[in-house]
């Protein structure tokens, strides 16, 4: 067994042993600490950490979840990291995201399911009170729940789009994927009143306290969900940072989220958003192109350097990282969540 030491930015220190055939993620769980993760097979990127010392083997993983550039920086996916001796790494999230009792499971009831755009639905659940897992739906904006298809073992992770509350309300914005397991459930048989297990909340993505820097959000499609949660949280707490959001979709029929973002705009002074359509028709009144280009233009005109929060497909995240680097924004002020198929 090799000793592993993981540290968080707020000074928490996890120490446990890990044999060479067990991933660091699994060894941490066996030691009683469930770390943010989702797919557990190297495809989603949610279990990243930065190795600070020691030798390790990295198992097979998606080049989108961990790019060669990430690897050069010493980043790893803990679900695919096998120590070859003493290993130390820094976790990119605070200790509040570590679940010491394991990942809580609850039962939830479908309360609404509606189409909000082409192949895009809003799913609303009510989490049932549970003596051990708690009451209401408490989470940090940016986190996700894994939803389990009723009567099956299959789970899929979806970001919460609303904010924490004591009524148990959980809201999701979901793009229906052809052949996707949860998509097929939603498309073919989901109904109000269905009961399904949910696991979480989990995940390390979230608002960072970096002072007065503006917060700029870039969303690709339903990557809007966790960013909408953050903006709604800012509106609820009347947070003072200036905020902007760029939402990109492919076609006009894909546009969604405008009522929710308009509501936030009315409630939160200093917040503005725009929707850009990559392939607009002649009557589209708004901007066209992709949100990374819109971000680049806005950064050129900006007088202060914002923090960037981005959620969407890997290509968008990489484009935003390039734009941010060109504008002189440090990589540690770009917070990202990749949306990858499970
Ligand atoms: Fe490790 Fe998904 S949990 S990449």
């Amino acid at each position: 067994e090799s000793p592993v030491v993981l540290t968080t930015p707020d000074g928490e220190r996890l120490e446990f042993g890990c044999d060479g055939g067990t991933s660091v993620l699994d060894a941490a769980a066996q030691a009683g600490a469930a770390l943010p993760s989702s797919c557990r097979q190297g495809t989603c990127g949610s279990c990243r950490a930065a190795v600070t010392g020691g030798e390790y083997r990295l198992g097979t993983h998606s080049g989108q979840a961990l790019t060669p550039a990430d690897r050069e920086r010493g980043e790893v996916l803990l679900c695919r990291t096998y120590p070859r001796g003493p290993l130390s790494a820094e976790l990119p999230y605070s200790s509040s995201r570590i679940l010491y009792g394991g990942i809580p499971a609850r039962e939830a009831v479908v309360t609404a399911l509606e189409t909000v755009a082409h192949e895009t639905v809003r799913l609303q659940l009510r989490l049932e009170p549970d003596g051990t897992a708690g009451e209401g739906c408490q989470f940090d904006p940016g986190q996700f729940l894994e939803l389990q298809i009723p009567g099956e073992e299959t789970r899929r992770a979806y970001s919460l789009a609303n904010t924490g509350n004591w009524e148990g309300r959980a809201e999701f914005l979901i793009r229906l994927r052809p052949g996707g397991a949860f998509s097929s459930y939603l498309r073919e048989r989901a109904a109000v009143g269905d009961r399904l297990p949910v696991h979480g909340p989990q995940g390390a993505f979230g608002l960072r306290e970096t002072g007065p820097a503006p917060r700029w959000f870039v969303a690709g499609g339903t990557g809007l969900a966790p960013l909408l949660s953050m903006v709604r949280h800012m509106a609820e707490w009347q947070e003072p940072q200036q905020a902007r959001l760029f939402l990109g979709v492919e076609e006009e029929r894909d546009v969604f989220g405008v009522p929710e973002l308009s509501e936030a705009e009315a409630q939160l002074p200093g917040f503005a958003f725009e929707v850009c359509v990559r392939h607009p028709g002649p009557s589209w009144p708004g901007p066209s192109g992709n949100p990374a280009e819109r971000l680049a233009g806005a950064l050129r005109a900006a007088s202060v350097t914002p923090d960037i929060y981005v959620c969407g497909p890997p290509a968008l995240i990489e484009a935003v990282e390039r734009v941010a680097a060109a504008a002189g924004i440090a990589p540690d002020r770009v917070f990202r969540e990749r949306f990858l198929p499970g």
Side-chain angles (χ1 to χ4, degrees):
E1 276 207 348
S2 305
V4 175
V5 178
L6 303 179
T7 50
T8 66
D10 57 332
E12 186 102 338
R13 190 180 158 88
L14 295 176
E15 291 189 48
F16 51 89
C18 181
D19 64 54
T22 304
S23 72
V24 173
L25 187 77
D26 286 343
Q30 285 161 15
L35 305 176
S37 60
S38 170
C39 70
R40 300 175 194 95
Q41 53 183 15
T43 57
C44 75
S46 60
C47 65
R48 289 159 173 279
V51 167
T52 50
E55 300 274 303
Y56 57 91
R57 178 174 68 82
L58 211 46
T60 50
H61 59 273
S62 140
Q64 294 185 324
L66 190 73
T67 65
D70 295 333
R71 292 182 61 163
E72 266 171 43
R73 285 196 292 264
E75 290 189 23
V76 293
L77 301 171
L78 293 178
C79 71
R80 285 298 194 229
T81 302
Y82 303 90
R84 284 191 162 141
L87 186 74
S88 53
E90 285 173 356
L91 303 173
Y93 40 81
S94 84
S95 56
S96 65
R97 300 300 174 89
I98 301 170
L99 298 167
Y100 288 103
I103 297 167
R106 306 266 293 274
E107 190 170 56
V109 182
V110 175
T111 54
L113 177 62
E114 61 191 303
T115 299
V116 292
H118 175 67
E119 298 288 65
T120 308
V121 298
R122 174 188 292 110
L123 171 67
Q124 302 199 66
L125 305 179
R126 187 186 67 244
L127 272 55
E128 299 288 37
D130 182 297
T132 47
E135 275 182 46
C137 181
Q138 299 299 339
F139 62 93
D140 291 326
Q143 289 197 288
F144 63 84
L145 281 176
E146 285 181 292
L147 311 184
Q148 189 171 338
I149 301 174
E152 297 182 22
E153 289 302 312
T154 310
R155 306 176 186 182
R156 288 289 180 272
Y158 293 106
S159 297
L160 288 138
N162 60 330
T163 54
N165 61 84
W166 289 108
E167 295 78 41
R169 283 180 287 105
E171 177 185 337
F172 306 89
L173 294 162
I174 299 175
R175 178 80 178 188
L176 301 177
R177 312 260 168 216
F182 203 85
S183 295
S184 302
Y185 160 68
L186 289 176
R187 207 192 294 270
E188 290 158 17
R189 54 193 177 89
V192 169
D194 279 6
R195 306 184 80 85
L196 65 157
V198 302
H199 307 263
Q202 310 175 53
F205 192 44
L207 286 170
R208 303 299 170 96
E209 292 308 327
T210 57
R215 291 165 170 169
W216 288 14
F217 303 94
V218 186
T222 49
L224 175 65
L227 306 180
L228 177 62
S229 176
M230 293 179 192
V231 169
R232 285 171 153 174
H233 173 90
M234 289 183 71
E236 268 176 33
W237 293 89
Q238 288 293 299
E239 295 199 346
Q241 294 89 345
Q242 185 257 359
R244 286 180 76 162
L245 186 143
F246 306 84
L247 167 63
V249 298
E250 287 296 305
E251 297 177 43
E252 283 174 62
R253 65 181 184 175
D254 301 317
V255 174
F256 70 103
V258 172
E260 294 88 341
L261 290 166
S262 301
E263 193 185 329
E265 205 172 48
Q267 292 168 345
L268 184 62
F271 172 63
F273 76 96
E274 62 171 60
V275 180
C276 62
V277 177
R278 189 187 295 261
H279 306 292
S283 59
W284 171 247
S288 59
N290 83 60
E293 293 161 6
R294 301 291 303 172
L295 172 71
L299 282 171
R300 280 194 289 275
S303 51
V304 273
T305 309
D307 289 346
I308 309 284
Y309 294 82
V310 52
C311 183
L316 174 68
I317 303 223
E318 277 153 35
V320 166
E321 285 173 338
R322 277 196 301 275
V323 165
I329 299 176
D332 66 353
R333 302 299 281 262
V334 180
F335 308 107
R336 58 207 172 155
E337 179 93 311
R338 290 170 209 219
F339 263 25
L340 296 171

